């Protein structure tokens, strides 16, 4: 980062203004900022992926203690809150298929570790926001397991489960489901399954049709066969175990066992190879075993062979067959519905532990009409329920931000329910600004969005961001152009709103989202702290860009490099945190350099003005050549922070290519 500052200006900077100056007297003397209490005014949140942020115990998976150990890093980055990826137990690595909202994922540590992390973060003035998934659960969810027991289960109606979805939707049984996502149904087996008691098993591989016959019996049980020459096993129960059978004739295998299985059994011809061909199960659509009758085995589908009396039904899940959507019923009944109350109770638990807010996933999908009034109304019920709990012990309102992935005008109605929503249009506009080198419309566009939000909720918080864990990385969109990446940071940290920095964005990580190819890990790369061997890579199943996981791009290396993107983030987060105008100000247009001035179209300019009166002039030149701006009427004697090449001469400022500056007014 080069700075051209006149002698007069340097003298002026020695006199304190209302805004702070990053205490970096020289390259060699650089120290990561350590914020004083109350200094972080900028409402900067860091989006953190627990599984790939920092690993404390060497198992290759990020964890709570890892986060605790890196709070100094986040503090230096000026972060006043962390949005954690889902912390609950889940089948997937990313955690959005929650098994149990009342517990933490043991992969990440214990509940005591989680609490210690919260306490340590609070000690540094950093809040903790949990990712909370209201739209759907996971197929392994404890409530879904209860629901699958059948219509007599009190949790059956917590989900949309039906043997005839079209009829049930048509007759109004599922009032949440309208439109496209109402058609996303998946197979589920409903009813009492499993078996506890004594069973005789007979596997017949003597003919072309391989069969399994299971019968209740009073005969004596047998220990598993220890003759390793016999290659026939039963895989029973949960957790499963391989039991070697006895050979009782050519191709015939038998054993009598006491069984306690919540589902059923599989037949295996190997207890060491788990590749295809060694697992024999039920053919598709015929996986219910009838006691005493042979079931023809299949190695093609090899579905679990189920004991009991299950029924084939369907469940609705907009995000696929592993994520059943929750059923809150008609809006009028939603707040008294079972899942609403259960989720609120677990939210209470986390708030009592110290959690400061929630990020709500996929809220436009809760009621399947994305643009209807139901979701904003539902979220209002949810927010007010949670905020009432929070306000019992706090003097301020609960923070809650929704993921409403739509254009700003469609996001605006959601402010009826929530104090904050992510502004996806921020990055949509900014990437166009930077790649088209056209800045003159940016401030006007953003102010237009803000007006729409404020019309619904005065004080609406625009949660600004570049990219998140579901999007192609900013560095890829900007062709890994370091000057553009620095300027993206400068825009994010000088605009009205409450900005989010996504893990790795501050280091310039690149990656193309490949959700369709099942490789969305490519945009969720682990942080490399010092050397690559310490990165939390294990949960990503090899789907990360090895060229990113290098020592050279590490936090250590970039902290030492005065030209690094990370050092740029330190500068601009410090400016935002210590200047009230940047931290909390409202945007307003510059009189000369605005959306009508297309002769200087590379320039984005605006004022930020806080309610205290603190005011700053923000200037960005996104062009590829220098511009000299006539700024009569603006104060140019107090430069807060700059990027690229900036020089002041009288009432003029010359901004080099891809250069930015803030002047305190
Ligand atoms: Mg670990």
């Amino acid at each position: 980062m080069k700075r051209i500052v006149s002698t007069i200006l340097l003298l002026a900077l020695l006199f304190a203004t209302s805004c702070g100056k990053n205490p970096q007297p020289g390259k060699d003397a650089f120290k990561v900022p350590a914020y004083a209490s109350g200094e972080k005014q900028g409402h900067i949140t860091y989006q953190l992926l627990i599984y790939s942020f920092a690993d404390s115990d060497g198992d290759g998976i990020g964890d709570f203690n890892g986060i605790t150990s890196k709070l100094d890093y986040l503090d230096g980055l000026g972060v006043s809150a962390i949005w954690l990826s889902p912390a609950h137990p889940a089948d997937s690595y990313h955690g959005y298929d929650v098994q149990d909202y009342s517990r933490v994922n043991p992969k990440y540590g214990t509940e005591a570790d989680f609490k210690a992390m919260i306490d340590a973060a609070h000690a540094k003035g950093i809040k903790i926001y949990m990712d909370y998934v209201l739209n759907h659960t996971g197929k392994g969810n404890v409530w879904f397991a209860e629901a699958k027991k059948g219509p007599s289960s009190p949790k059956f109606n917590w989900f949309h489960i039906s043997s005839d979805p079209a009829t049930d939707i048509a007759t109004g049984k599922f009032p949440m489901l309208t439109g496209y996502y109402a058609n996303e149904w998946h197979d589920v087996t409903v009813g009492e399954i499993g078996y506890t008691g004594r069973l005789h098993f007979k596997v017949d591989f003597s003919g072309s049709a391989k069969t399994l016959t299971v019968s209740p019996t009073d005969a004596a049980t047998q220990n598993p066969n220890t003759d390793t020459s016999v290659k026939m096993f039963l895989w029973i129960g949960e957790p499963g175990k391989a039991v070697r059978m006895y050979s009782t004739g050519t191709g015939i295998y038998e054993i009598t066992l006491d069984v306690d299985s919540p589902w059923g059994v599989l037949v295996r011809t190997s207890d060491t190879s788990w590749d295809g061909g060694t697992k024999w199960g039920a053919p598709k659509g015929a996986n219910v075993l009838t006691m005493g009758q042979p079931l023809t085995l299949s190695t093609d589908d090899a579905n679990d062979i189920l004991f009991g009396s299950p029924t084939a039904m369907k469940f609705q899940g907009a995000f696929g067959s592993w994520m059943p959507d929750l059923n809150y019923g008609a809006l009028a009944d939603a707040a008294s519905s079972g899942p609403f109350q259960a989720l609120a109770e677990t939210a209470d638990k986390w708030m009592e532990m110290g959690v400061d807010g929630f990020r709500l996933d996929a809220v436009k999908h809760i009621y399947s009409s994305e643009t209807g009034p139901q979701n904003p109304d539902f979220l209002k019920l949810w927010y007010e329920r949670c905020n009432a709990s929070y306000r019992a012990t706090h003097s301020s309102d609960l923070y809650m931000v929704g993921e409403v992935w739509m254009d700003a005008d469609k996001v605006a109605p959601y402010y009826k329910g929530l104090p904050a929503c992510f502004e996806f249009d921020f990055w949509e506009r900014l990437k166009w600004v930077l790649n088209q080198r056209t800045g003159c419309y940016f401030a006007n566009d953003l102010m237009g969005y803000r007006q729409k939000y404020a019309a619904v909720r005065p004080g609406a918080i625009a949660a600004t961001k570049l990219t998140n864990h579901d999007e192609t990385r900013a560095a890829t969109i900007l062709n890994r152009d370091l000057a553009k990446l620095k300027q993206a940071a400068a825009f994010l940290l000088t605009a009205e709103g409450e900005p989010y920095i996504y893990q790795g964005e501050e280091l310039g990580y690149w990656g193309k989202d490949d959700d369709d190819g099942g490789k969305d890990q490519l945009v969720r790369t682990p942080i490399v702290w010092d050397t690559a061997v310490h990165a939390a890579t294990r949960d990503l199943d090899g789907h990360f860009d090895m060229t990113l996981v290098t020592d050279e791009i590490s936090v250590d290396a970039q902290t030492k490099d005065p030209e690094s993107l990370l050092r740029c983030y330190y500068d601009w987060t410090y400016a935002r945190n210590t200047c009230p105008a940047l931290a909390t100000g409202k945007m307003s247009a510059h009189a000369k350099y605005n959306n009508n001035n297309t002769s200087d179209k590379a320039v984005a300019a605006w004022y930020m003005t806080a309610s205290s009166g603190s005011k700053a002039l923000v200037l960005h030149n996104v062009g590829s050549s220098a511009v000299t701006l006539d700024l009569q009427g603006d104060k140019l004697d107090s430069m807060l922070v700059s990027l690229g090449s900036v020089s002041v001469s009288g009432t003029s400022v010359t901004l080099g290519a891809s250069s930015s500056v803030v002047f305190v007014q």
Side-chain angles (χ1 to χ4, degrees):
M1 208 175 331
K2 296 187 187 73
R3 290 175 180 163
I4 302 170
V5 182
S6 70
T7 307
I8 293 172
L9 189 59
L10 272 174
L11 286 171
L13 285 170
L14 292 175
F15 297 94
T17 68
S18 62
C19 296
K21 180 79 182 139
N22 200 344
Q24 299 168 36
K27 293 177 182 178
D28 296 337
F30 175 77
K31 285 192 173 60
V32 173
Y35 284 85
S37 174
E39 202 171 29
K40 281 186 277 189
Q41 306 167 53
H43 300 292
I44 300 164
T45 302
Y46 190 84
Q47 180 192 350
L48 184 155
L49 309 170
I50 303 172
Y51 49 84
S52 66
F53 182 68
D55 172 28
S56 71
D57 57 6
D59 68 353
I61 300 174
D63 45 51
F64 301 134
N65 289 338
I67 297 168
T68 304
S69 73
K70 299 299 182 187
L71 288 170
D72 281 344
Y73 172 71
L74 297 171
D75 188 44
L77 200 54
V79 165
S80 53
I82 300 168
W83 154 24
L84 298 173
S85 62
H88 309 299
D91 286 319
S92 71
Y93 79 92
H94 53 66
Y96 284 95
D97 49 342
V98 175
Q99 292 173 351
D100 186 344
Y101 293 86
S102 70
R103 295 194 296 125
V104 295
N105 194 325
K107 282 196 308 187
Y108 304 151
T110 65
E111 208 166 288
D113 296 333
F114 185 69
K115 173 80 166 93
M117 177 197 71
I118 294 171
D119 291 345
H122 286 176
K124 291 187 180 299
I126 297 174
K127 295 179 173 171
I128 299 292
Y129 303 153
M130 284 186 101
D131 207 316
Y132 219 61
V133 190
L134 296 178
N135 177 67
H136 54 264
T137 66
K139 207 168 179 182
N141 182 270
V142 289
W143 302 335
F144 193 58
E146 289 287 315
K148 286 193 297 181
K149 289 181 178 174
S152 61
S153 164
K155 295 194 172 54
F156 185 75
N157 289 325
W158 289 28
F159 301 87
H160 300 100
I161 302 175
S162 171
S163 53
D164 186 355
T167 298
D168 283 345
I169 290 173
T171 56
K173 186 178 176 186
F174 297 132
M176 295 182 75
L177 303 181
T178 55
Y180 176 76
Y181 289 105
N183 300 319
E184 298 283 308
W185 292 83
H186 314 279
D187 292 335
V188 63
T189 304
V190 171
E192 294 290 349
I193 60 169
Y195 192 86
T196 301
R198 189 161 298 176
L199 293 174
H200 175 261
F201 295 86
K202 179 182 179 183
V203 171
D204 185 346
F205 268 44
S206 62
S208 56
K210 321 297 185 193
T211 64
L212 169 69
T213 306
V214 183
S215 309
T217 181
D218 294 326
T221 59
Q222 296 168 278
N223 290 323
N225 186 8
T226 56
D227 178 357
T228 56
S229 69
V230 177
K231 304 295 184 188
M232 186 60 71
F233 306 86
L234 297 175
W235 182 264
I236 307 177
E238 190 68 47
K241 57 183 177 183
V243 177
R244 193 187 305 271
M245 303 181 77
Y246 292 90
S247 175
T248 59
T250 304
I252 308 292
Y253 305 88
E254 295 184 77
I255 195 167
T256 296
L257 298 168
D258 281 335
V259 167
D260 182 9
S261 172
W263 53 281
V265 68
L266 286 165
V267 174
R268 304 207 62 118
T269 53
S270 170
D271 67 341
T272 55
S273 168
W274 303 103
D275 296 334
T278 68
K279 183 171 89 170
W280 293 77
K284 187 174 174 59
N287 61 337
V288 181
L289 180 134
T290 302
M291 291 292 174
Q293 294 186 15
L295 179 101
T296 300
L297 298 170
S298 168
T299 193
D300 291 336
D301 292 308
N303 293 286
D304 292 348
I305 301 164
L306 302 179
F307 300 152
S309 55
T311 308
M313 297 182 82
K314 302 273 187 187
F315 75 89
Q316 186 264 345
F319 286 86
S321 61
W322 63 99
M323 292 186 181
D325 282 10
L326 284 161
N327 178 11
Y328 299 99
L331 187 63
D333 306 321
S336 59
S337 69
F340 187 101
Q341 295 194 339
L343 282 163
E345 283 170 18
T346 50
D348 285 348
K349 168 181 170 168
W350 302 118
M351 286 189 282
E352 284 165 18
M353 193 177 284
V355 166
D356 304 280
F358 296 95
R359 177 264 182 186
L360 305 182
D361 185 61
V363 293
K364 72 175 185 179
H365 296 293
I366 295 175
Y367 283 76
S368 58
S369 170
E370 298 178 355
T371 53
Q374 295 95 338
N375 284 322
D377 286 339
F378 172 86
L379 292 165
K380 186 169 189 292
L381 294 170
W382 172 256
Y383 180 74
E384 288 177 351
R385 164 63 180 82
C386 294
N387 195 37
S389 290
Y390 187 79
R391 290 298 301 240
T393 52
H394 295 79
S395 58
S396 58
D397 283 332
L398 175 67
Y399 180 82
M400 200 177 278
V401 59
E403 181 205 22
V404 187
W405 199 333
M406 290 192 287
D407 297 341
D409 58 341
K410 295 192 176 76
V411 172
Y414 281 76
Y415 281 102
K416 180 177 182 182
L418 297 173
C421 292
F422 286 108
E423 186 175 65
F424 286 86
D425 269 353
F426 182 89
W427 175 238
E428 290 301 316
R429 296 306 299 142
L430 182 55
K431 68 187 181 189
W432 183 88
V433 164
L434 295 171
N435 278 337
Q436 300 303 315
R437 297 194 178 279
T438 303
C440 62
Y441 307 114
F442 183 76
N444 192 61
D445 288 348
L446 227 59
M447 287 187 287
Y449 305 154
R450 304 296 188 276
Q451 281 180 356
K452 288 172 183 165
Y453 308 154
V456 179
R457 176 187 286 264
I461 299 167
T464 50
K465 52 174 266 308
L466 304 184
T467 65
N468 69 18
H469 63 293
D470 287 326
E471 297 176 86
T472 293
R473 287 278 197 178
T476 298
I477 299 283
L478 300 178
N479 301 311
R480 301 193 206 173
D481 180 327
L482 183 59
K484 286 183 179 177
L485 279 165
K486 288 179 176 178
Q487 217 166 15
F491 269 83
L492 178 69
L493 294 162
T494 54
E496 179 184 331
E498 296 192 359
Y500 278 65
I501 298 170
Y502 172 43
Q503 174 178 319
E505 205 158 62
E506 76 277 22
L507 301 169
Y509 280 6
W510 57 86
K512 190 174 185 312
D513 183 53
D514 184 19
D515 187 38
D516 292 341
K519 295 177 185 170
D520 40 18
Q521 298 97 323
L522 292 172
V523 296
R524 301 168 184 182
T525 305
I527 294 289
V528 180
W529 296 99
D530 42 24
T531 66
V533 294
H534 293 137
T537 57
R538 185 171 143 195
D539 249 12
L540 299 178
D541 200 25
H543 298 315
F544 53 89
D545 187 342
M546 283 301 291
T547 61
L548 261 177
V549 186
T550 63
D551 302 0
E552 291 73 24
I553 208 167
S554 69
V555 169
D556 267 9
Q558 293 207 36
T559 303
K560 290 171 186 152
D561 176 4
E563 304 301 326
S564 72
L565 182 61
L566 180 59
R567 288 281 286 271
C568 173
Y569 268 87
Y570 285 138
D571 278 353
W572 289 80
T573 55
Y574 191 85
R576 186 179 184 89
N577 272 320
T578 54
C579 177
L582 291 185
T584 61
K586 301 287 181 198
M587 289 174 90
S588 59
H590 190 268
K592 182 172 182 182
Y593 297 98
N594 55 40
N595 56 308
N596 295 316
N597 186 349
T598 52
S599 58
D600 293 295
K601 68 175 189 177
V603 177
W606 62 84
Y607 296 109
M608 292 285 282
T609 308
S611 57
S612 63
S614 168
K615 187 174 179 182
L617 170 63
V618 177
L619 301 170
H620 302 280
N621 172 25
V622 298
S624 54
S625 54
V627 292
T628 296
L629 308 180
D630 172 18
L631 294 165
Q632 290 185 50
D634 291 315
K635 287 175 64 181
L636 304 176
D637 59 349
S638 182
M639 187 191 293
L640 176 69
V641 61
S642 68
L643 170 67
S645 166
V646 180
S647 61
V648 179
S649 175
T651 59
S652 298
V653 173
T654 299
L655 289 168
S658 300
S659 295
S660 299
V661 65
V662 177
F663 293 102
V664 178
Q665 299 299 291

